[in-house]
């Protein structure tokens, strides 16, 4: 019988447009959701039905969670207010809009607050992209907990519903990288009434309408995509079937299954004993130490109807019990097992409820929400967003483009989101845990309407659309060929280890959208800024041709992440051969279009399963291919990700987890993490001492030398140890900043230089001004033998010999292909 034959599809979800609007719909949509009493009075409101508390500045744009949820609830007729980035040291700021009639909705923001605050090396970030002016410190650590507590203090009898990415990734007991321990579900710690995970439109609309009908929030236990607390003796559990998680995936040592047909002699022999009669035993008695073995009787119960199927518990009334918090916090193997079971139950088509004991209470997780249909996606994205930050953040000139600019808003200001979800299943990524692996696409008409609205209404639009994408650039309208197979599938990825034969990889709808969008009047160019899934793209050469010819602005970001099979298998990423194939098609299409364009590959350092030799081989590959990576990302163990379970447990949850299962090489400790980062930035002289020491220990001193085939040189220039990342404000310099020197005029005196040794700014065209990785432009202003990048003559060959001090070599931002002529 096929795997999907026994799956009963879930009941169809109620449409977002299927609810009777709440009475307050008569007020109509607000220009901006109010953030003050004065704005409420201008709208004619005496109170808010729902108040959303968020850790981000309020930007009324469909890329910001508070705007999407707020506008969706407004469309249902509810009056929604926003409290954005409140001062959290007292409850007073949480009373700014008065007492909400229905509930507080709390979210940390578009990012987990701990990831927003700290780098992968646990250093404090000095900026916040979701705050006016990029100012840091406008939200607390673990914002969901703090905001919920303050809401309780403000109005203790008002229900609190938490959601957003922080709540989604912490909905069960989870490993916390910053405390290096397993923490309880955020629902327990925050003491919220309800947790909404994943894309929340369906759940939050259902909850709002039920609360509006005066239904107690304690009774709302059947909404998909929610988590709540309940007692083990809850009377509502009558009729439910509970399965232990070991029946789904068995951890620990597996006892051998007894053979019901084995004889007594065979069983004794297998146990190293004998059941022969003792020699000289006149009575002929058998050895009393060997027990008699009785055959096992296997009984199969069938359903009352004569269809021949075995009895199975109904999935919609079955809950899987995960190991308790007290178990997983002290047993990494059980933690990895629980993580694996959770990921097996993420397909909305067949997922069962999960339950995990925390002390004397259970955290109950209902199955994930059903994906939005295309009409429902259009409904959400066609809501009357102002597509701008709230006027509160404007400067004295009424502008959002200067001191009060919100970096995250600037990034997506002229971009359009065309889909949600990702079926890639990369283990270090949390998209699947949050948005799901089923792609939810908007209609082409809806996307075109948004581009036209952006063109006509958004200040500063110059005709350039910065992105048409989403979590990935090219999964629009791609999915399983069969709804039945999709509903039954339990694979974590549709493209690993290879592209599933049931996956439709047709890029034609996306190509048509590109062509229609760039033909719009007033649209000069449409760029693709989202990460491209290149293993999918090579299935459609026509798409690559279209993309490269019309939608690449000189460079294209892709993420092979590594070159070696060991770490790639732990990431669930394709081999580097797939990248090579895409690179060939990309370069051929660029040449056919008559353009000089480059790929910018991204790589991860210190990912679970990565050995020092793997990083060395990656560095050699980078050197051979002429890449100098400046945007280096170190593995960041985000809550609930599969790779995080690897990091914590040293086990591989992609396979059955047992006590004796595969041990994963984990990169821990500051020195080893620094080493893996240093291999990615092999060209930085600050890293050369560490790399020389490591290469000698690894027996690869042959990579140290001054030839082209060597990885690092034998000489060591004088350096100050500083490093300035592409995100300058997030760097932690260890010395004084250095810059490329501008040649001083002959008449300039030594006193003209800065007392700190700072140099004058370089001439225009000397160095790259942004981390695009493109070669510098040919300006025609440099003399023969003078570098166009630095404006100084290159060092002589003698300067490269050991014991001599060569001129400092500047590093390119991002990854620049070697051998390419400057444009």
């Amino acid at each position: 019988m096929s795997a999907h034959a026994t799956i009963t599809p879930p009941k169809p979800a109620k449409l977002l447009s299927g609810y009777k609007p709440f009475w307050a719909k008569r007020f109509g949509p607000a220009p901006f959701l109010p953030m003050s009493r004065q704005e409420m009075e201008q709208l004619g409101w005496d109170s808010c039905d729902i108040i959303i508390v968020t850790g981000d500045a309020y930007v009324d744009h469909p890329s910001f969670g508070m705007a999407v949820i707020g506008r969706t609830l407004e469309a249902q007729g509810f009056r929604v207010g926003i409290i954005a980035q409140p001062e959290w040291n007292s409850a007073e700021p949480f009373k700014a809009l008065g007492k909400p009639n229905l509930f507080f909705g709390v979210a940390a923001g578009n990012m987990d607050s701990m990831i927003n605050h700290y780098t992968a090396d646990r250093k404090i970030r000095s900026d916040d992209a979701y705050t006016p002016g990029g100012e840091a410190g406008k939200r607390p650590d673990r914002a969901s907990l703090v905001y919920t507590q303050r809401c309780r203090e403000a109005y203790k009898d008002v229900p609190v519903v938490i959601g957003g990415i922080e709540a989604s990734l912490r909905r069960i007991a989870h490993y916390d990288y910053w405390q290096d321990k397993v923490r309880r579900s955020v629902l327990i710690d925050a003491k919220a009434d309800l947790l909404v995970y994943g894309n929340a439109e369906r759940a939050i609309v259902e909850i709002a309408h039920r609360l509006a009908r005066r239904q107690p929030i304690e009774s709302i236990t059947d909404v998909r995509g929610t988590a709540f607390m309940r007692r083990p003796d809850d009377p509502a559990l009558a009729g439910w079937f509970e399965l232990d998680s070991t029946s789904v995936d068995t951890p620990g040592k597996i006892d051998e299954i007894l053979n019901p047909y084995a004889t007594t002699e065979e069983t004794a022999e297998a146990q190293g004993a004998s059941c022969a009669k003792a020699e000289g035993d006149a009575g002929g008695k058998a050895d009393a130490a060997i027990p008699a073995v009785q055959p096992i009787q296997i009984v199969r119960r069938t359903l009352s109807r004569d269809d021949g199927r075995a009895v199975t518990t109904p999935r919609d009334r079955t809950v899987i019990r995960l190991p308790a918090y007290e178990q997983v916090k002290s047993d990494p193997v059980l933690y990895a097992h629980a993580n694996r079971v959770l990921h097996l139950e993420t397909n909305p088509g067949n997922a069962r409820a999960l339950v995990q004991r925390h002390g004397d209470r259970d955290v109950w997780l209902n199955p994930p929400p059903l994906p939005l249909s295309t009409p429902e996606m259009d409904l959400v994205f066609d809501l009357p967003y102002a597509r701008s930050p709230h006027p509160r953040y404007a400067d004295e000139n009424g502008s959002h483009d200067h001191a009060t600019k919100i970096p995250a808003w600037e990034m997506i200001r002229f971009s359009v989101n065309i889909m949600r979800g990702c079926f890639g299943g990369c283990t270090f990524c949390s998209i699947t845990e949050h948005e799901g692996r089923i792609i939810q696409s908007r209609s082409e008409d809806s996307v075109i309407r948004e581009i036209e609205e952006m063109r006509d209404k958004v200040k500063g639009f110059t005709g350039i659309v910065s992105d048409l994408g989403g979590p990935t650039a090219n999964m629009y309208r791609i999915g399983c060929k069969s709804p039945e197979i999709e509903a039954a599938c339990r694979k974590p990825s549709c493209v690993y280890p290879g592209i599933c034969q049931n996956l439709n990889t047709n890029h034609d709808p996306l190509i048509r959208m590109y062509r229609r969008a760039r033909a719009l009047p007033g649209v000069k160019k449409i760029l693709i800024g989202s990460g491209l899934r290149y293993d999918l793209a090579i299935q459609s050469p026509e798409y690559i041709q279209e993309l490269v010819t019309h939608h690449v602005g000189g460079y294209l970001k892709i993420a092979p992440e590594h070159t070696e099979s060991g770490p790639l298998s732990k990431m669930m990423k394709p081999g580097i051969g797939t990248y090579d194939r895409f690179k060939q098609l990309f370069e051929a299409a660029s040449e056919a279009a008559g353009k000089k364009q480059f790929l910018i590959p991204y790589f991860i350092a210190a990912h679970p399963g990565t050995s020092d030799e793997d990083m060395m081989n990656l560095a050699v590959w980078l050197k051979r291919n002429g890449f100098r990576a400046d945007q280096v990302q170190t593995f960041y163990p985000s809550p609930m990700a599969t790779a995080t379970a690897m990091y914590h447990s040293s086990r591989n949850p992609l396979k059955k987890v047992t006590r004796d299962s595969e041990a994963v090489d984990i990169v821990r400790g500051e020195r080893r993490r620094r080493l893996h980062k240093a291999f990615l930035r092999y060209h930085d002289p600050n890293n050369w001492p560490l790399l020389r020491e490591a290469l000698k220990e690894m027996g690869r001193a042959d990579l140290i030398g001054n030839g082209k085939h060597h990885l690092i040189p034998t000489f060591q220039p004088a350096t100050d140890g500083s490093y300035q990342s592409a995100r300058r404000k997030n760097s932690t310099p260890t010395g004084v900043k250095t810059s490329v020197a501008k040649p001083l005029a002959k008449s300039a005196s030594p006193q003209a230089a800065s007392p700190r040794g700072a140099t004058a700014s370089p001439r225009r065209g000397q160095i790259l001004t942004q981390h695009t990785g493109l070669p510098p432009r040919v300006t025609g202003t440099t003399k023969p033998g003078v570098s166009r990048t630095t404006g100084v003559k290159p060092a002589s060959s003698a300067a490269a010999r050991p014991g001599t001090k060569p001129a400092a070599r500047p590093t390119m931002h991002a990854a620049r292909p070697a051998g390419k002529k400057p444009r």
Side-chain angles (χ1 to χ4, degrees):
M1 184 177 292
S2 64
H4 60 274
T6 60
I7 300 296
T8 302
K11 298 177 181 178
K14 187 171 183 177
L15 297 177
L16 294 180
S17 58
Y19 293 86
K20 181 181 179 181
F22 192 59
W23 69 266
K25 191 174 179 67
R26 68 186 67 174
F27 288 102
F32 284 89
L33 301 179
M35 295 181 66
S36 66
R37 284 280 195 173
Q38 181 181 2
E39 293 173 73
M40 291 171 57
E41 292 171 1
Q42 291 173 352
L43 294 170
W45 299 3
D46 60 346
S47 62
C48 289
D49 300 310
I50 299 158
I51 295 177
I52 296 175
V53 182
T54 175
D56 293 340
Y58 170 33
V59 180
D60 199 47
H61 187 281
S63 291
F64 286 75
M66 90 292 287
V68 172
I69 296 302
R71 290 295 188 182
T72 300
L73 289 169
E74 180 188 58
Q76 299 291 326
F78 299 103
R79 295 166 294 177
V80 182
I82 299 282
I83 298 178
Q85 297 186 322
E87 169 57 47
W88 64 88
N89 291 318
S90 74
E92 288 306 311
F94 295 78
K95 300 178 182 179
L97 301 181
K99 181 179 179 180
N101 301 320
L102 299 181
F103 66 91
F104 276 112
V106 170
N110 275 16
M111 290 179 66
D112 181 280
S113 60
M114 299 301 288
I115 295 176
N116 178 278
H117 277 178
Y118 302 96
T119 69
D121 296 324
R122 297 189 178 96
K123 294 180 180 179
I124 297 177
R125 300 187 194 272
S126 57
D127 67 346
D128 184 343
Y130 294 90
T131 303
E135 183 181 355
K138 290 295 185 180
R139 78 185 81 208
D141 285 355
R142 312 189 191 283
S144 296
L145 275 64
V146 177
Y147 289 162
T148 301
Q149 291 165 4
R150 290 292 180 257
C151 289
R152 290 287 195 212
E153 291 178 24
Y155 303 105
K156 61 181 181 180
D157 57 337
V158 175
V160 179
V161 179
I162 59 175
I165 187 74
E166 181 166 284
S168 277
L169 301 188
R170 298 171 182 271
R171 56 188 184 260
I172 64 167
H174 56 280
Y175 173 72
D176 186 84
Y177 173 62
W178 302 272
Q179 290 187 321
D180 193 23
K181 71 174 188 179
V182 176
R183 288 179 62 96
R184 299 187 299 182
S185 165
V186 68
L187 184 65
I188 297 281
D189 287 340
K191 298 179 173 61
D193 295 285
L194 206 57
L195 182 152
V196 178
Y197 70 89
N199 294 318
E201 290 92 348
R202 285 200 194 285
I204 205 70
V205 166
E206 176 73 13
I207 292 166
H209 280 288
R210 289 198 186 184
L211 291 176
R213 296 195 296 267
R214 298 294 185 264
Q215 183 175 341
I217 195 166
E218 297 82 10
S219 66
I220 302 178
T221 60
D222 60 342
V223 178
R224 296 180 69 105
T226 63
F228 54 92
M229 293 178 289
R230 74 185 335 162
R231 297 285 180 182
D233 57 353
D234 189 340
L237 291 174
W240 279 85
F241 299 87
E242 183 177 299
L243 296 179
D244 189 87
S245 63
T246 56
S247 66
V248 179
D249 186 72
T250 307
K253 184 178 179 180
I254 309 299
D255 293 327
E256 184 178 359
I257 298 176
L258 294 177
N259 181 358
Y261 306 105
T263 64
T264 302
E265 292 80 8
E266 291 171 340
T267 302
E269 184 179 357
Q271 297 175 350
S274 172
C275 66
K277 293 180 181 180
E279 293 181 9
D281 185 356
K285 294 181 180 179
D287 190 343
I290 304 298
V293 177
Q294 299 294 330
I296 296 176
Q297 291 186 338
I298 301 176
V299 179
R300 178 178 290 254
R301 295 175 57 202
T302 58
L303 295 174
S304 57
R305 55 182 185 275
D306 298 328
D307 57 6
R309 289 185 296 158
V311 170
T312 58
T313 59
R315 300 184 81 85
D316 61 342
R317 299 295 292 174
T318 299
V319 62
I320 298 173
R321 180 166 292 279
L322 299 174
Y325 159 72
E326 289 76 13
Q327 293 177 288
V328 298
K329 76 173 184 178
S330 58
D331 190 337
V333 173
L334 283 182
Y335 179 89
H337 158 75
N339 182 273
R340 173 174 168 80
V341 173
L342 181 140
H343 282 84
L344 287 173
E345 301 294 332
T346 56
N347 183 350
N350 61 50
R352 291 163 286 192
L354 302 174
V355 65
Q356 185 177 54
R357 183 67 57 85
H358 285 65
D360 61 348
R361 292 176 295 175
D362 285 337
V363 173
W364 184 288
L365 275 69
N366 283 324
L370 295 176
L372 297 183
S373 64
T374 294
E376 289 176 308
M377 285 284 285
D378 291 352
L379 177 66
V380 169
F381 281 89
D382 288 347
L383 294 171
Y385 301 98
R387 302 189 64 87
S388 170
H390 190 276
R392 169 182 292 187
Y393 307 120
D395 60 20
E396 61 275 9
N397 299 315
S399 172
H400 298 285
D401 295 326
H402 303 293
T404 61
K405 180 187 292 185
I406 300 172
W409 143 248
E410 186 65 22
M411 184 183 301
I412 54 84
R413 185 176 184 176
F414 303 118
S415 69
V416 176
N417 196 331
I418 64 174
M419 44 78 68
R420 286 179 182 170
C422 179
F423 50 70
C426 300
T427 59
F428 52 82
C429 179
S430 301
I431 293 175
T432 300
E433 288 89 339
H434 185 59
E435 294 192 3
R437 64 188 180 117
I438 297 176
I439 303 302
Q440 304 165 68
S441 301
R442 299 170 62 183
S443 70
E444 182 180 305
D445 289 342
S446 176
V447 173
I448 296 300
R449 283 195 300 271
E450 184 170 346
I451 296 174
E452 291 175 331
E453 183 179 10
M454 183 170 63
R455 175 197 63 192
D456 299 336
K457 297 181 180 180
V458 178
K459 181 182 177 181
F461 182 70
T462 61
I464 308 297
V465 177
S466 61
D467 187 26
L468 286 184
T472 58
N474 59 320
M475 287 188 181
Y476 179 75
R477 291 196 175 279
I478 291 180
C480 193
K481 297 176 181 177
S482 165
E484 291 78 16
I485 294 177
E486 181 179 69
C489 183
R490 296 169 71 80
K491 290 178 60 179
S493 172
C494 299
V495 291
Y496 183 85
I499 295 178
C500 178
Q501 61 182 359
N502 295 312
L503 184 68
N504 164 35
T505 59
N506 183 14
H507 284 63
D508 289 348
L510 190 55
I511 295 172
R512 287 195 301 270
M513 180 189 293
Y514 285 176
R515 291 173 178 172
R516 183 177 171 188
R518 71 169 184 267
L520 290 174
V523 174
K524 299 176 183 177
K525 191 172 185 64
I526 292 178
L527 300 173
I528 302 303
S530 299
L532 185 78
R533 191 76 197 199
Y534 57 88
D535 50 350
L536 276 179
I538 62 176
Q539 304 296 315
S540 177
E542 183 183 1
Y543 172 74
I544 296 177
Q545 189 76 32
E546 181 76 15
L547 176 75
V548 172
T549 304
H550 300 286
H551 303 286
V552 175
Y555 67 99
L556 181 69
K557 297 180 295 184
I558 57 173
E561 308 297 5
H562 217 285
T563 59
E564 306 305 297
S565 60
L568 287 173
S569 67
K570 304 303 183 296
M571 299 175 186
M572 290 209 300
K573 292 286 287 188
I576 198 65
T578 307
Y579 164 83
D580 293 334
R581 173 60 179 153
F582 177 79
K583 185 172 182 288
Q584 292 174 357
L585 295 172
F586 177 87
E587 292 177 344
S590 294
E591 184 177 358
K595 295 183 176 182
K596 290 283 187 180
Q597 301 184 137
F598 307 99
L599 292 175
I600 306 297
Y602 287 79
F603 299 93
I604 292 180
H607 191 278
T610 307
S611 66
D612 297 349
E613 288 74 16
D614 289 331
M615 292 306 300
M616 178 193 69
N617 292 334
L618 173 55
V620 171
W621 184 91
L622 290 169
K623 178 76 178 288
R624 186 188 311 124
N625 288 274
F627 286 112
R628 291 186 170 189
D630 186 55
Q631 290 187 340
V632 175
Q633 66 181 61
T634 309
F635 169 66
Y636 207 145
S638 59
M640 216 169 80
T642 299
T644 302
M646 293 183 197
Y647 179 88
H648 175 58
S649 68
S650 300
R651 297 292 192 276
N652 184 5
L654 297 176
K655 301 178 180 179
K656 188 178 287 292
V657 177
T658 69
R659 302 285 176 188
D660 303 321
S661 61
E662 171 192 10
V664 179
D665 185 7
I666 305 302
V667 184
R668 289 194 177 92
E670 182 180 357
R671 183 186 182 279
R672 196 171 177 214
R673 286 174 70 87
R674 282 180 52 235
L675 174 62
H676 283 215
K677 289 176 66 176
F679 271 121
L680 277 183
R681 301 195 73 251
Y682 66 91
H683 53 279
D684 185 350
N686 292 304
N687 293 325
W688 292 349
L690 177 61
L691 291 176
R692 287 192 197 98
E693 180 184 353
L695 289 173
K696 291 174 183 177
E697 291 175 355
M698 295 163 64
R700 292 305 308 269
D702 57 298
L703 292 175
I704 306 172
N706 302 319
K708 291 184 178 180
H709 61 285
H710 294 115
L711 184 62
I712 57 174
T714 56
F715 60 82
Q716 182 64 40
T719 62
D720 61 5
S722 65
Y723 164 59
Q724 188 72 45
S725 76
R727 288 191 67 188
R728 295 183 181 180
K729 292 185 178 180
N730 280 348
S731 298
T732 307
T734 57
V736 181
K737 291 183 180 179
T738 59
S739 61
V740 179
K742 176 181 179 181
L744 296 174
K746 292 182 179 180
S747 61
S749 64
Q751 288 79 10
S754 167
R756 291 192 177 186
T759 59
S761 59
R763 290 193 303 267
R764 184 175 181 180
Q766 281 186 321
I767 62 174
L768 295 180
T769 58
Q770 55 183 336
H771 49 279
T772 61
L774 295 178
R777 297 181 177 88
V778 177
T779 64
T781 60
T782 54
K783 298 178 181 179
V786 177
S787 169
R788 292 185 178 94
T789 303
T790 65
V792 297
K793 292 183 179 181
S796 63
S797 58
R801 299 193 192 108
T804 63
K805 181 180 177 182
R809 295 175 56 193
T811 59
M812 297 289 287
H813 286 301
R816 173 178 62 84
K820 299 293 185 182
K821 294 181 179 180
R823 294 196 301 171

